[in-house]
Amino acid sequence: MVEPQAAIEHTFREESGRILASLIRACGDFDLAEEAMQDAFAVALDRWPRDGIPDNPGAWITTTARHKAIDRIRRERTLAEKQELIAALDRPEDVSAADLDDEAPMQLIDDRLRLIFTCCHPALAPEAQVALTLRTLGGLTTPEIARAFLVPEPTMAQRLVRVKRKIRDAAIPYTVPAPEDLPARVDAVLAVIYLIFNEGYSASSGDALIRRDLCSEAIRLARLVANLMPDEPEAAGLLALLILQHSRRDARTGPTGELIVLEEQDRTRWHHAEIEEGAAIINEDMTSHGLGPYQQQAAIAAIHAQAPTPDATDWPQIAALYARLAEVQPSPIIELNRAVAIAMADGPLAGLRLIDAIDATGDLADYHLLHAARADLHRRANQPEAASIAYRRALDLCTNEVERTYLQRRLNEVTS
Amino acid sequence: MKYMFLIYDEEKNQNNGAPAVMEEYGAFSQLANEKGVIRDGNRLHATDAATTVRVRNGATQTTDGPFAETKEQLGGYFIFECKDLDEALSYAAKVPSAKFGSVEVRPVFEM
């Protein structure tokens, strides 16, 4: 038998995003919807242990929250507001308990899609988009979000209050954008999810567990968006990319939290079921569409993840994918990655020539990974002196402790 | 919802009132009128015609010039009635000055 407390936690975790989305659509007010949902969960805490867990906990919470919203409106609003809001909440074609069966009805799916476009609206500051998306669609609490982004809790609470106020005062709509705006708006949604993932993936400070939670949360959101927009290949591309990156989580750091680079990772510790899932998504897509940037990065990640050993990696294919990626999304960082892939395919000297060319542009002069990559290639080319100069330069520029430890170890190796 | 569009631009652009730009504003106003979304709108005289008034401790202080000396100055405004921010932003992007200046979109406080 499931404990009522566990059932409530499970319902909150799995369904609060969907419940909140339907409430926000019905009453058009984030705060009212959140308060009503909290009221409903409080009622559940009181009733479920006594009366038993309802057959459909999500539907029970939704119905109860609607009644609570109507109660709050009756207490707090003026007459004119009341009539309009109560009418919206009572409308029969809106969510009722009967709609909330196992096969998610289109109406509800639309609610979450509408909500994510609102949360990731370009009129909101990027950090506010991230916080609001985690709060409303991810069901994270304000203290959890504050911890994950290493800001004081009152700062995060204030940020959430401000962003909800702007949505209300500027009348940012709850709609899927018009077709002509859709590509740019989808990009914005995917960028927010990628930002959430990277915050968890590349951070080394703070609570490691919370950071890993952020990666899982980003994957959950990416999966939601990919399911909601099956015609957006980049949504599937992002999902595949995140699954593939995250599949290496247990091999990326050692027992004391030190960084383990890709070629030194214990590949048996990769999550191979996840790699299969990610690779399957990207393989399906590769045959049917021209590749967008997320799909290309996912294809590169899939090649890495599917190589049984570092030496068995298909480096020429990776270099070719980076070249295509640079065409759709020109960036010196992508050029740097291509240079490394070429070094692995054709030898370190070929890579060093490309790195020199990138360095000559000056765009990445202060980017520690350019110097770390150069150092690494000099080391492989058996040029310890040049390698040590480049490792020192990388150490001067690098502020991440975990990466610094790795660079220092390499520097010690080439100078001993 | 009413939105105010505050049109900022370098004054040298505002002063010359180039006929091509005037024509674009004519076309924009006509479009907005046909859609029934425009409530008001005007071009302002340049900031050398501006006077700023402050009352401190009961005394009125009057100074020549705008509130703040900045490179881009308020050169005109519109009031639009739109269903939401997305509709307002779609019109703001069509304001001719958006191509060289900027248009700040502010919701009007509903009394």
Side-chain angles (χ1 to χ4, degrees), chain A residues 35 40 60 80 88 103 148 176 181 185 243 290 294 300 322-323 330 361-362:
Chain A
E35 285 161 5
W60 191 97
E103 38 193 324
V176 173
D181 296 331
R185 296 288 306 278
I243 290 172
Y294 289 120
I300 293 166
Y322 273 124
T361 65

Side-chain angles (χ1 to χ4, degrees), chain B residues 67-85:
Chain B
F67 161 68
E69 294 285 354
T70 50
K71 197 168 163 222
E72 295 200 323
Q73 288 288 354
L74 184 65
Y77 68 91
F78 286 109
I79 301 284
F80 270 65
E81 177 88 43
C82 295
K83 72 177 194 318
D84 57 35
L85 184 66

Side-chain angles (χ1 to χ4, degrees), chain A residues 121 123 166 168-173 175 177 185, chain B residues 1 3 83-87 89-90 107-109:
Chain A
H121 197 283
K166 176 158 185 189
R168 191 188 61 219
D169 292 348
I172 293 178
T175 49
R185 296 288 306 278
Chain B
M1 282 287 294
Y3 294 90
K83 72 177 194 318
D84 57 35
L85 184 66
D86 282 357
E87 189 185 11
L89 294 180
S90 75
V108 175
F109 209 96

Side-chain angles (χ1 to χ4, degrees), chain B residues 22-91:
Chain B
M22 291 292 113
E23 218 167 277
E24 283 185 53
Y25 266 100
F28 174 72
S29 301
Q30 198 185 335
L31 169 89
N33 269 319
E34 281 166 13
K35 300 278 184 190
V37 288
I38 198 163
R39 292 291 170 269
D40 194 7
N42 281 298
R43 182 181 163 194
L44 303 179
H45 280 288
T47 51
D48 54 17
T51 310
T52 301
V53 176
R54 292 177 182 85
V55 179
R56 295 291 180 273
N57 301 322
T60 302
Q61 304 163 359
T62 305
T63 47
D64 173 44
F67 161 68
E69 294 285 354
T70 50
K71 197 168 163 222
E72 295 200 323
Q73 288 288 354
L74 184 65
Y77 68 91
F78 286 109
I79 301 284
F80 270 65
E81 177 88 43
C82 295
K83 72 177 194 318
D84 57 35
L85 184 66
D86 282 357
E87 189 185 11
L89 294 180
S90 75
Y91 284 108

Side-chain angles (χ1 to χ4, degrees), chain A residues 168-323:
Chain A
R168 191 188 61 219
D169 292 348
I172 293 178
Y174 309 103
T175 49
V176 173
E180 68 269 22
D181 296 331
L182 198 58
R185 296 288 306 278
V186 170
D187 284 352
V189 168
L190 299 181
V192 164
I193 296 173
Y194 199 29
L195 209 64
I196 292 170
F197 183 84
N198 279 329
E199 192 62 33
Y201 185 77
S202 54
S204 54
S205 49
D207 185 332
L209 191 69
I210 294 279
R211 291 310 174 98
R212 189 173 280 193
D213 276 0
L214 271 186
C215 290
S216 313
E217 195 50 54
I219 290 174
R220 239 164 63 106
L221 290 168
R223 201 182 292 282
L224 175 69
V225 170
N227 288 340
L228 294 175
M229 294 189 286
D231 296 333
E232 291 292 335
E234 278 287 84
L238 177 65
L239 175 62
L241 174 62
L242 302 191
I243 290 172
L244 289 163
Q245 301 284 59
H246 198 48
S247 72
R248 294 199 292 265
R249 60 190 171 279
D250 292 333
R252 286 179 63 225
T253 48
T256 56
E258 74 274 20
L259 177 72
I260 302 177
V261 294
L262 186 62
E263 64 163 323
E264 295 177 346
Q265 287 174 12
D266 174 0
R267 292 179 186 227
T268 62
R269 302 192 68 200
W270 291 358
H271 292 254
H272 292 277
E274 294 171 22
I275 292 171
E276 266 172 45
E277 189 199 354
I281 296 169
I282 201 65
N283 286 339
E284 195 175 299
D285 264 19
M286 304 251 302
T287 53
S288 51
H289 307 278
L291 296 190
Y294 289 120
Q295 290 175 293
Q296 305 233 15
Q297 291 176 75
I300 293 166
I303 295 173
H304 280 302
Q306 288 175 307
T309 64
D311 290 340
T313 307
D314 187 351
W315 288 106
Q317 175 70 9
I318 289 177
L321 281 165
Y322 273 124

